[in-house]
Amino acid sequence: MKNSLNENIKILRTQIGMSQVDLAKALHVSKQCVSNWENDNIQPSVEMLIKMADFFHVSIDYILGRNATQSIDASSLTDEQYTHVRMIVKDFSILNDKDK
């Protein structure tokens, strides 16, 4: 199930253990601005969506809730490290399939 923009901002923030204040500082906005985004009172600008996508390492489509698939930039990993990451993802996929 895809989440909405405001839900995705909060999920991404909390997944990395950041407070609204922390995210506001990282994006150079006020805490109130982050709160308003998460409470669906206002929408972030296109420029801010780009900043958030870069900050959280996700696509803008993911933040907007248009695509529920997250991706990871593995371009800086060695071939061996990338293979390990693929194995971990495969293991989690198998576990999730068993839970269905």
Side-chain angles (χ1 to χ4, degrees), residues 11 13 16 22 28 32-34 45 52 57 59 67 74 93:
I11 289 167
R13 175 181 62 76
I16 60 173
D22 295 332
H28 305 288
Q32 187 64 36
C33 194
V34 173
S45 67
M52 280 191 269
H57 305 288
S59 69
N67 182 347
S93 293

Side-chain angles (χ1 to χ4, degrees), residues 17-32:
M18 291 188 92
S19 68
Q20 288 182 343
V21 172
D22 295 332
L23 181 58
K25 286 180 184 176
L27 298 175
H28 305 288
V29 297
S30 69
K31 184 262 183 201
Q32 187 64 36

Side-chain angles (χ1 to χ4, degrees), residues 1-18:
M1 175 188 247
K2 297 177 191 172
N3 295 316
S4 63
L5 169 64
N6 62 308
E7 293 169 323
N8 283 334
I9 294 169
K10 184 174 183 176
I11 289 167
L12 289 166
R13 175 181 62 76
T14 57
Q15 281 178 340
I16 60 173
M18 291 188 92

Side-chain angles (χ1 to χ4, degrees), residues 6-98:
N6 62 308
E7 293 169 323
N8 283 334
I9 294 169
K10 184 174 183 176
I11 289 167
L12 289 166
R13 175 181 62 76
T14 57
Q15 281 178 340
I16 60 173
M18 291 188 92
S19 68
Q20 288 182 343
V21 172
D22 295 332
L23 181 58
K25 286 180 184 176
L27 298 175
H28 305 288
V29 297
S30 69
K31 184 262 183 201
Q32 187 64 36
C33 194
V34 173
S35 177
N36 280 327
W37 295 335
E38 290 184 3
N39 289 312
D40 206 20
N41 295 328
I42 61 170
Q43 303 291 311
S45 67
V46 171
E47 292 81 13
M48 191 53 61
L49 287 171
I50 293 168
K51 277 186 174 182
M52 280 191 269
D54 291 344
F55 181 79
F56 290 120
H57 305 288
V58 297
S59 69
I60 292 173
D61 277 348
Y62 179 82
I63 294 174
L64 292 172
R66 294 181 48 139
N67 182 347
T69 303
Q70 291 190 52
S71 62
I72 298 171
D73 179 6
S75 61
S76 66
L77 301 180
T78 65
D79 288 342
E80 182 179 359
Q81 291 169 329
Y82 181 74
T83 299
H84 287 291
V85 170
R86 287 185 58 195
M87 291 169 58
I88 291 168
V89 169
K90 182 180 176 187
D91 288 345
F92 278 125
S93 293
I94 291 169
L95 285 173
N96 288 341
D97 287 344
K98 288 181 182 178

